[in-house]
Amino acid sequence: MAQAWPNGPVKAIYIDIGINWSNPAETFQSVADAGYNLIILAFMVSGKPYDAAAGWAQITNQQSVVNYIHNKGARVTVSAGGSTDTPYGTMTGQAYGTTVAKWAVANHLDGVDFDLENFGAAFTAAGLSTNQTIKWVADATNAARQILGASGIITHAPQPPYFGNSYGFKNGYGEVYKAAPTIDWLLIQFYNNGPAGTYASIFTSNSGASVQEINRSLGIPLNKLVVGKPVLSNDAGGGYVAPASLHSFFIQAKSDLGWNAGVMGWQWHNVATNQQWISAIYP
């Protein structure tokens, strides 16, 4: 639903704690300078800003920073969730999505990201059934869309096991997408969750959770399936692939599948490290 942007693949990066706390605006502007076109502030936890989101809230001239980022061809959003957030039993999906989207608007951001985790077997959460959990996630998304409008950016960052029933998650995110099809991109976390170090495990064969399998079995468009990877090997518990190898994988996926959705990196460190990473993937 987002406007005709970006001109090319998504180059997304999460910023968590790696910011200049004495001058947060400088950090966010430097991310756009480093070649990323989607800057994601982590995190809103149960509706409250922490880490980079809290750093953004400290900026008194937010609109000026946003203008700088836009002039670089980039957008900036806030991520709700993360590994420590379990809002499913304390807030309705509608209330969660409404809270995050209203915060994004009030803080001059371009949209929201949902990094929803801590789901149990069969895509359940906090005593909710599979169908109730799917509805919760879709309700959060649709509530955010209502506030952000058609031009606002909405992304999700699901883990691969949240797709398909081979992991026991009952097509969880496939059903979420059916109920909330205005999601702009799914930034799939191909790390910390089983095999994801080869071209095949990312793109063609991963127990129902590869890009091609998600597209074919669940009908989610290829151009919405972004590959998420750790920037450094110690940024995650597995799934690291050298950026030069990702470059080769992406060329092959474009040729074989017609895929060119883009990449998401976890996480921001500094200009030198992160510019080198994105430049190696998209030279």
Side-chain angles (χ1 to χ4, degrees), residues 170-188:
K170 305 295 182 184
N171 296 325
Y173 253 89
E175 296 301 314
V176 169
Y177 183 77
K178 287 180 183 177
T182 69
I183 296 171
D184 292 299
W185 293 282
L186 294 160
L187 315 177
I188 305 171

Side-chain angles (χ1 to χ4, degrees), residues 131 134-143 172-183:
N131 289 339
I134 291 166
K135 183 177 184 301
W136 194 101
V137 178
D139 283 351
T141 307
N142 291 330
Y173 253 89
E175 296 301 314
V176 169
Y177 183 77
K178 287 180 183 177
T182 69
I183 296 171

Side-chain angles (χ1 to χ4, degrees), residues 144-190:
R145 175 60 68 201
Q146 186 172 8
I147 291 166
L148 296 171
S151 64
I153 297 167
I154 296 180
T155 59
H156 280 248
Q159 299 173 19
Y162 299 162
F163 296 95
N165 57 20
S166 58
Y167 283 82
F169 286 92
K170 305 295 182 184
N171 296 325
Y173 253 89
E175 296 301 314
V176 169
Y177 183 77
K178 287 180 183 177
T182 69
I183 296 171
D184 292 299
W185 293 282
L186 294 160
L187 315 177
I188 305 171
Q189 298 183 40
F190 282 105

Side-chain angles (χ1 to χ4, degrees), residues 40 71 84 117 124 186 198 226:
I40 306 173
N71 287 336
T84 64
E117 304 185 21
T124 57
L186 294 160
T198 64
V226 172

Side-chain angles (χ1 to χ4, degrees), residues 47-253:
K48 298 179 181 180
Y50 291 85
D51 299 340
W56 181 269
Q58 296 175 16
I59 299 173
T60 58
N61 61 331
Q62 291 176 343
Q63 190 60 60
S64 295
V65 179
V66 169
N67 291 343
Y68 183 94
I69 290 169
H70 286 183
N71 287 336
K72 293 289 184 176
R75 301 291 185 268
V76 57
T77 66
V78 66
S79 183
S83 62
T84 64
D85 199 12
T86 53
Y88 316 106
T90 58
M91 304 175 71
T92 66
Q94 183 176 15
Y96 190 80
T98 297
T99 299
V100 175
K102 284 186 174 180
W103 192 91
V105 170
N107 287 273
H108 305 94
L109 299 174
D110 295 300
V112 301
D113 170 70
F114 292 99
D115 180 11
L116 299 172
E117 304 185 21
N118 299 304
F119 296 114
F123 203 73
T124 57
L128 302 179
S129 69
T130 299
N131 289 339
Q132 288 171 330
T133 302
I134 291 166
K135 183 177 184 301
W136 194 101
V137 178
D139 283 351
T141 307
N142 291 330
R145 175 60 68 201
Q146 186 172 8
I147 291 166
L148 296 171
S151 64
I153 297 167
I154 296 180
T155 59
H156 280 248
Q159 299 173 19
Y162 299 162
F163 296 95
N165 57 20
S166 58
Y167 283 82
F169 286 92
K170 305 295 182 184
N171 296 325
Y173 253 89
E175 296 301 314
V176 169
Y177 183 77
K178 287 180 183 177
T182 69
I183 296 171
D184 292 299
W185 293 282
L186 294 160
L187 315 177
I188 305 171
Q189 298 183 40
F190 282 105
Y191 47 91
N192 293 335
N193 286 283
T198 64
Y199 173 82
S201 61
I202 298 168
F203 283 104
T204 62
S205 181
N206 192 351
S207 300
S210 70
V211 168
Q212 184 179 56
E213 290 169 310
I214 292 167
N215 168 247
R216 289 183 174 179
S217 65
L218 303 178
I220 301 175
L222 285 172
N223 63 5
K224 292 193 174 188
L225 301 175
V226 172
V227 171
K229 280 294 179 182
V231 171
L232 300 178
S233 60
N234 60 359
D235 281 333
Y240 175 78
V241 175
S245 296
L246 288 177
H247 171 67
S248 298
F249 292 173
F250 288 6
I251 290 174
Q252 184 176 351

Side-chain angles (χ1 to χ4, degrees), residues 21-54:
W21 289 99
S22 63
N23 188 1
E26 180 182 61
T27 299
F28 302 129
Q29 291 172 333
S30 70
V31 179
D33 291 336
Y36 295 89
N37 58 23
L38 182 55
I39 302 165
I40 306 173
L41 313 177
F43 286 105
M44 293 280 290
V45 179
S46 292
K48 298 179 181 180
Y50 291 85
D51 299 340

Side-chain angles (χ1 to χ4, degrees), residues 237-281:
Y240 175 78
V241 175
S245 296
L246 288 177
H247 171 67
S248 298
F249 292 173
F250 288 6
I251 290 174
Q252 184 176 351
K254 186 174 182 179
S255 175
D256 293 351
L257 310 177
W259 174 91
N260 192 33
V263 70
M264 171 271 282
W266 173 267
Q267 58 182 322
W268 177 261
H269 294 277
N270 54 60
V271 171
T273 298
N274 289 89
Q275 189 171 52
Q276 183 179 30
W277 186 78
I278 197 65
S279 296
I281 297 170

